Amino acid sequence: MAACNGTGGAPEPTASADSTQAAADKKYLSQPLVSEIYTADPSAHVWNGKIYIYPSHDIDGPTPEDDLGSHFEMRDYRVLSMDDVGGKVTIGPVALDVKQVPWASKQMWAPDAAFKNGTYYLYFPAKDKEGAFRIGVATSKDPMGPFKPQPQPIKGSYSIDPAVFTDDDGQSYMYFGGIWGGQLQRNVNGKYDPEGSKTDLQADDKPALLPRVARMSGDMLEFAETPREVKIVDDKGKLLLGGDHDRRFFEAAWMHKYKGKYYFSYSTGDTHYLAYGIGDSPYGPFTYKGRILEPVEGWTTHHSIVEKDGKWWLFYADSQLSGQTRLRNVKVTQLHYNEDGTIKTIDPFVR
Ligand code: FUB
């Protein structure tokens, strides 16, 4: 696999450089799905027997790294597709560009997609002209796009990382939110506060900020209700605390259903885990059950979980190709359950 090179031509590798590279690659559990562009935050879906991945498209921008993620300066989306895990990966053309979205100014962060009534929906967070994250939606008849954006963000939307789950009864729900640069803590009073905290509620002994969920309207373009908090509790039913950085929600919500139970998974951000809880309703509460993935190379990871042909897959990202947090690459590995329905924790490195 050719190394991704965002800035120009790389020197041709020599035979010994090749074997050093091969040895280095072996320490990772899985290899990047594509190396021609940088990608992150993979939201995978199985449609028409194929796997479609809706990732962020990372670019090398000028902004220095900070705790608000200002260095994630993405401007467009490209969709990936493959017939099966292990098969050839196709990189689609630009599916949506920030320039096409009248309300958006910058930072096209982690997207997701949904399919209903013959239409594909691309959900994406971006900063509006005031610097507040909102969530937009764009539609297409083709899962690869191009997508046509709605002129306004979804009414009542805020923060980042939309993930849309459709239940067996056909009802769809959007999960979203993220603290720090994701601005959840700046939206606690029903309005974006640009002067709000840069991190979280700054109250370690109080319940942590919670992700949000809203049922989608029939046309999938709006919320059908005011977003509710998604409760994540410990095994005694108590909400996880703000200071519990190993377990509390940070960003990267995802929902999947396994054997009739609802699995809400997310990133713990500054402690770098993918964690999850299990519940009996799409609204929760979700009882914390453990970790799905140990920390990867790079600051963030963000995932999705899908079933194809009876096997379950975890899509995630790390910084293997670039060694830089802002330039990530998506990966996939198989996910396994224990007899009791808990998920076997995955180590992204071969030790
Ligand atoms: O990719 C930009 C942001 O970083 C995403 O929205 C977060 O989930 C984190 O991966």
Side-chain angles (χ1 to χ4, degrees):
M1 173 167 316
C4 196
N5 174 23
T7 51
E12 280 299 309
T14 61
S16 78
D18 263 354
S19 54
T20 313
Q21 188 57 48
D25 287 351
K26 276 203 188 128
K27 73 177 189 186
Y28 301 96
L29 178 67
S30 52
Q31 294 300 314
L33 285 177
V34 292
S35 58
E36 293 84 350
I37 58 172
Y38 290 110
T39 53
D41 312 322
S43 293
H45 293 273
V46 177
W47 285 317
N48 313 316
K50 283 180 71 155
I51 301 173
Y52 293 91
I53 306 166
Y54 298 82
S56 298
H57 176 199
D58 283 357
I59 52 168
D60 198 1
T63 306
E65 276 189 28
D66 64 20
D67 284 348
L68 295 179
S70 310
H71 47 294
F72 293 122
E73 298 171 276
M74 300 82 106
R75 305 196 58 81
D76 64 18
Y77 296 108
R78 314 263 312 251
V79 185
L80 311 180
S81 70
M82 55 192 182
D83 288 339
D84 272 304
V85 171
K88 180 176 174 296
V89 182
T90 300
I91 305 174
V94 171
L96 181 70
D97 191 292
V98 68
K99 286 198 236 94
Q100 294 168 252
V101 185
W103 59 267
S105 64
K106 59 180 180 179
Q107 292 182 291
M108 305 283 267
W109 282 15
D112 190 20
F115 174 69
K116 198 167 266 183
N117 301 330
T119 300
Y120 295 89
Y121 298 83
L122 179 71
Y123 298 95
F124 59 96
K127 279 192 178 156
D128 67 14
K129 312 271 161 120
E130 275 71 55
F133 269 114
R134 307 274 171 220
I135 297 170
V137 53
T139 57
S140 177
K141 290 291 173 197
D142 187 327
M144 301 296 282
F147 288 84
K148 186 170 182 288
Q150 292 295 110
Q152 298 293 333
I154 294 175
K155 219 177 299 140
S157 71
Y158 52 90
S159 198
I160 59 165
D161 291 2
V164 175
F165 163 76
T166 300
D167 208 345
D168 303 328
D169 62 2
Q171 184 59 63
S172 300
Y173 303 84
M174 181 185 288
Y175 300 83
F176 64 95
I179 61 173
W180 293 29
Q183 301 178 343
L184 200 49
Q185 74 282 356
R186 292 182 171 183
N187 281 284
V188 283
N189 297 321
K191 199 172 168 290
Y192 175 66
D193 173 8
E195 304 306 322
S197 159
K198 285 195 167 155
T199 54
D200 54 19
L201 292 177
Q202 300 186 324
D204 283 0
D205 54 348
K206 299 262 164 33
L209 276 161
L210 295 169
R212 305 289 198 261
V213 58
R215 193 161 48 81
M216 299 301 291
S217 58
D219 63 8
M220 298 291 276
L221 299 176
E222 299 290 348
F223 293 154
E225 60 185 357
T226 304
R228 313 176 188 195
E229 290 182 335
V230 177
K231 294 197 166 64
I232 306 170
V233 298
D234 65 15
D235 52 8
K236 296 190 178 57
K238 286 207 133 117
L239 287 169
L240 300 182
L241 299 182
D244 188 352
H245 290 212
D246 279 356
R247 300 192 298 173
R248 62 93 172 88
F249 173 81
F250 190 101
E251 63 186 8
W254 187 257
M255 169 60 63
H256 77 279
K257 204 170 177 181
Y258 175 72
K259 294 195 173 168
K261 297 275 186 193
Y262 297 85
Y263 287 62
F264 179 78
S265 48
Y266 56 96
S267 164
T268 63
D270 56 340
T271 49
H272 318 293
Y273 303 120
L274 290 181
Y276 74 108
I278 300 180
D280 291 318
S281 149
Y283 288 115
F286 298 98
T287 305
Y288 178 89
K289 290 291 175 188
R291 292 179 195 160
I292 297 172
L293 187 70
E294 298 289 359
V296 299
E297 180 172 329
W299 202 88
T300 69
T301 194
H302 178 142
H303 67 298
S304 60
I305 295 170
V306 283
E307 183 186 18
K308 180 154 194 308
D309 304 327
K311 287 186 176 163
W312 286 88
W313 300 98
L314 174 75
F315 289 81
Y316 64 105
D318 68 13
S319 295
Q320 176 181 338
L321 289 177
S322 72
Q324 292 184 60
T325 286
R326 74 174 79 209
L327 296 174
R328 298 159 292 177
N329 45 259
V330 299
K331 297 185 159 186
V332 62
T333 192
Q334 198 170 348
L335 176 137
H336 298 277
Y337 298 88
N338 296 304
E339 278 297 307
D340 64 359
T342 54
I343 292 173
K344 293 192 178 176
T345 306
I346 297 166
D347 186 340
F349 293 101
V350 177
R351 302 197 199 253

